[in-house]
Amino acid sequence: MKKLLLITAFTALSSLTFANDEALSSELEFRVIDVNQDSQISIEEAVLFETLSASFISVDIDGNGYISEAEFKVLDTDANGLVSADELSMITMHDK
């Protein structure tokens, strides 16, 4: 039981460390931001990524408190699977 708990804790910590590394990147990827892999991004996950958390309400089109993969894909205007700072700034500029 202790081994399982230790492995689970290590896996969660590794995911967060990887997410923090990605937070420093200029491009965002859904699967990296969705740390718990529940197919949606919560505000708790988004806060690791300053540019995304600042636009969270606007990106959450249906207002359910989560960013779905479909909502995230709307930002990916070049369809490369990543949302760049420029792509994200388009929604930020629209909000102003």
Side-chain angles (χ1 to χ4, degrees):
M1 182 65 173
K2 286 183 181 181
K3 262 187 179 176
L4 179 60
L5 184 58
L6 186 58
I7 290 169
T8 303
F10 177 75
T11 303
L13 183 57
S14 296
S15 295
L16 287 175
T17 301
F18 184 64
N20 282 331
D21 289 345
E22 285 292 320
L24 301 175
S25 172
S26 62
E27 296 186 316
L28 305 175
E29 186 174 358
F30 188 88
R31 69 170 183 79
V32 173
I33 301 168
D34 182 20
V35 175
N36 66 359
Q37 301 298 298
D38 65 352
S39 299
Q40 56 188 4
I41 299 170
S42 67
I43 189 66
E44 292 82 9
E45 291 166 321
V47 296
L48 297 172
F49 306 87
E50 184 180 335
T51 54
L52 182 59
S53 64
S55 302
F56 190 88
I57 292 171
S58 298
V59 178
D60 177 21
I61 297 166
D62 64 9
N64 69 348
Y66 297 93
I67 298 172
S68 68
E69 194 162 2
E71 290 168 327
F72 190 80
K73 284 182 179 179
V74 169
L75 301 172
D76 184 16
T77 57
D78 63 5
N80 69 348
L82 303 171
V83 174
S84 68
D86 287 341
E87 288 169 322
L88 192 55
S89 71
M90 297 303 286
I91 196 162
T92 306
M93 288 179 0
H94 179 67
D95 289 343
K96 293 182 179 183

